[in-house]
Amino acid sequence: MENYFQPEIECASLEKIRAVQNEKLPKQVKYVWDNVEYYRKKMQAKGVTPDDIKSIDDLHKLPFLMKDDLKAAYPYGLMARPLKDCVRIHSTSGTTGKRVVAFYTQNDIDMWNECCARAIVAAGGTNEDVCQVSYGYGLFTGGAGLDGGSHKVGCLTIPASSGNTERQIMFIMDLQATILCCTPSYAAYLGESMKEMGYKPEDIPLKAGIFGAEAWSEEMRRDIEKVLGIKAYDIYGLTEISGPGVAFECSEQHGMHINEDHFIAEIINPETGEVLPEGTQGELVFTSLDKEGFPLLRYRTRDICTLTREKCSCGRTHIRMSKPKGRSDDMLIIRGVNVFPSQIETVLLNNGYAANYQIVVDRVNNTDTFDINVEMTPDMFTDNVGEIQSRKKVLEDGLKSMLGIKAKVNLVAPKTIARSEGKAVRVIDKRKI
Ligand code: DLL
């Protein structure tokens, strides 16, 4: 039986969802206009005033916000409330330049925690569960978000944070954790470590995992489910819009329901900004409907995906987004061809490898070099040169047909590629362009 945290809104009719959005949007636009000078100026430059936004049909009239706007307005320029009304900040994991800092009022935190609670309940969570939160706690939103959701559901929460794999495993086993929340790459590593320690899936008390914060393939899901003996659910979100729980998977595991009573999603053509029809792939854009501290309107996520309103048998009615293929800024352009790390991952996992790989791109004599270091699994590890060569060829052929360009595969020994406790680092781009 499917359970819901807030069934009246999660399963509301489309008319009801639209009514909620139509009521909230004009108010939110007026609120931002009155309180965020930076966005008001953008609206003025486009000749739009709050009076022009009467319903969600007018959404397209509003200007976009981009990451560059967040940098330009850093740190306080997009806040809509004085600092005294805010109770928390979080910040993105960006490694270059200024980080994005988002501000939350207590209402913002409550709304966000409810979104995460919806995700936990959709993964089968109840107050009988022991929920181990192994996302990083701190500036990153993963730990705090799932922790808050877990409390709302009434799970016994283990705030493990990331890292210290032995201790993570000890808690899972000793405290009989039933739900694990972490990045998919860390879940895979925990699974690999538990297997090595001799645990079989049936020995592990976990029943569900809530994994997100980075792109992961269906093949990786299958592997994690197998090694941990669980059902693995995807969860999506971003600091700018709140954190995890903007969208989450249900028992169908077929797209993530976007919490449409709080966020409006659009898909646009990233080149032209044109809004695309449902089902078309493009860049995801979010408008927050009730954020108080840091309310972003038409924020371009750079995540590439599709949306669908097809009926979902779980009973939820909110629109679903596909797994993001990757970020438009993670997309590599190699010899003129667009390459997403997730495509490479699919080929590797379909050929029996785990998701332990690193892509190295460089430019030599004006030509892109494209190497993929792939770890052999302990079962396939050998020093037989002929066997390695033929394995390498199978992968290179598979990659060529998936990507359309040739990559050089280097098969490396098990455990030689660094594991990540948070988001995995898949790409090293040495090109200086
Ligand atoms: O990663 C929030 C989060 C924490 C989501 C825990 C899920 C679980 P940021 O660090 O701001 O926030 O990074 C946001 O991560 O724009 C996507 O590119 C990527 N991302 C997040 N979830 C997924 C997912 C958190 N399920 C950026 N699949 C987003 C693919 C994801 N990419």
Side-chain angles (χ1 to χ4, degrees):
M1 234 259 309
E2 189 81 27
N3 279 324
Y4 314 98
F5 184 66
Q6 289 162 316
E8 66 297 340
I9 188 67
E10 291 180 66
C11 304
S13 65
L14 182 56
E15 294 70 50
K16 164 115 188 266
I17 296 168
R18 284 278 176 266
V20 169
Q21 294 180 331
N22 283 335
E23 195 206 319
K24 287 183 177 181
L25 180 68
K27 284 190 196 150
Q28 182 78 345
V29 172
K30 175 81 171 54
Y31 172 73
V32 171
W33 170 277
D34 288 344
N35 294 291
V36 185
E37 188 193 356
Y38 187 95
Y39 197 76
R40 182 167 65 240
K41 284 193 174 147
K42 277 189 96 98
M43 284 177 67
Q44 283 164 336
K46 219 177 163 218
V48 193
T49 72
D51 289 340
D52 296 315
I53 312 298
K54 299 203 162 48
S55 75
I56 64 162
D57 295 336
D58 300 318
L59 186 61
H60 68 276
K61 296 177 184 164
L62 291 171
F64 290 118
L65 274 173
M66 324 254 284
K67 188 104 171 195
D68 282 349
D69 291 303
L70 270 63
K71 279 189 195 146
Y74 174 90
Y76 301 129
L78 288 161
M79 280 181 85
R81 279 288 171 92
L83 282 171
K84 72 173 175 49
D85 291 351
C86 295
V87 296
R88 175 104 61 84
I89 69 150
H90 280 284
S91 173
T92 56
S93 38
T95 45
T96 52
K98 291 274 188 220
R99 288 167 163 249
V100 168
V101 175
F103 299 83
Y104 301 70
T105 64
Q106 188 58 50
N107 285 338
D108 293 335
I109 302 261
D110 290 341
M111 180 271 278
W112 171 31
N113 289 350
E114 275 178 16
C115 290
C116 288
R118 290 181 190 176
I120 293 172
V121 172
T126 70
N127 60 2
E128 310 253 330
D129 280 293
V130 177
C131 180
Q132 182 154 326
V133 182
S134 307
Y135 287 109
Y137 280 62
L139 287 168
F140 178 53
T141 52
L146 270 306
D147 184 290
S150 175
H151 279 81
K152 286 231 181 257
V153 177
C155 304
L156 173 62
T157 310
I158 309 179
S161 196
S162 56
N164 200 336
T165 301
E166 263 175 45
R167 192 183 60 190
Q168 299 278 358
I169 296 172
M170 185 189 82
F171 281 142
I172 292 174
M173 297 309 298
D174 293 356
L175 301 177
Q176 294 284 292
T178 49
I179 301 178
L180 174 68
C181 306
C182 62
T183 58
S185 47
Y186 195 48
Y189 179 46
L190 279 171
E192 178 187 353
S193 307
M194 290 187 89
K195 187 175 174 188
E196 270 174 22
M197 288 164 77
Y199 290 110
K200 297 196 187 65
E202 57 274 22
D203 304 332
I204 302 174
L206 293 171
K207 64 175 188 190
I210 304 179
F211 306 135
E214 62 186 0
W216 55 308
S217 59
E218 285 302 330
E219 293 75 14
M220 189 159 168
R221 181 199 320 257
R222 190 190 58 209
D223 282 7
I224 296 173
E225 289 189 330
K226 202 162 134 212
V227 68
L228 290 173
I230 60 170
K231 196 158 168 174
Y233 297 82
D234 201 352
I235 182 165
Y236 168 90
L238 61 166
T239 314
E240 296 91 315
I241 299 300
S242 63
V246 172
F248 61 88
E249 258 181 0
C250 60
S251 54
E252 279 300 295
Q253 296 176 302
H254 194 59
M256 292 179 271
H257 292 281
I258 295 172
N259 284 308
E260 284 190 277
D261 50 329
H262 300 304
F263 314 107
I264 302 180
E266 299 170 276
I267 291 284
I268 61 160
N269 176 331
E271 311 295 326
T272 62
E274 177 204 358
V275 180
L276 299 175
E278 188 192 316
T280 315
Q281 178 170 289
E283 179 179 346
L284 186 58
V285 175
F286 280 112
T287 296
S288 64
L289 287 171
D290 21 40
K291 288 267 299 284
E292 296 177 341
F294 199 69
L296 302 189
L297 304 180
R298 298 199 90 199
Y299 181 63
R300 293 184 55 165
T301 63
R302 300 167 312 280
D303 291 320
I304 305 293
C305 68
T306 56
L307 296 178
T308 178
R309 240 184 226 293
E310 264 171 41
K311 196 169 176 318
C312 183
S313 62
C314 79
R316 288 178 187 78
T317 45
H318 292 194
I319 200 163
R320 276 172 294 158
M321 59 181 275
S322 63
K323 268 181 174 301
K325 209 170 159 187
R327 291 159 79 107
S328 51
D329 49 5
D330 271 356
M331 184 184 80
L332 290 158
I333 303 184
I334 305 175
R335 296 174 213 137
V337 175
N338 298 351
V339 173
F340 284 100
S342 58
Q343 295 172 296
I344 296 173
E345 189 173 299
T346 296
V347 174
L348 300 184
L349 273 77
N350 278 336
N351 282 284
Y353 295 81
N356 298 318
Y357 64 95
Q358 202 148 44
I359 303 161
V360 185
V361 190
D362 202 351
R363 184 159 287 182
V364 180
N365 299 331
N366 293 320
T367 307
D368 291 336
T369 61
F370 178 21
D371 284 53
I372 308 173
N373 300 325
V374 182
E375 233 179 57
M376 286 183 275
T377 64
D379 311 343
M380 59 175 73
F381 187 49
T382 168
D383 49 11
N384 178 326
V385 179
E387 203 178 318
I388 293 179
Q389 283 307 328
S390 73
R391 282 198 163 275
K392 192 168 129 93
K393 168 122 189 13
V394 170
L395 275 189
E396 286 181 343
D397 290 350
L399 287 162
K400 175 90 202 300
S401 71
M402 170 68 94
L403 308 172
I405 55 168
K406 195 169 173 340
K408 180 165 170 271
V409 168
N410 306 306
L411 289 175
V412 300
K415 300 237 155 182
T416 46
I417 293 177
R419 300 294 187 268
S420 156
E421 292 162 355
K423 302 192 191 216
V425 181
R426 305 281 193 212
V427 181
I428 301 174
D429 194 341
K430 298 179 176 166
R431 293 175 294 187
K432 291 184 187 61
I433 304 173

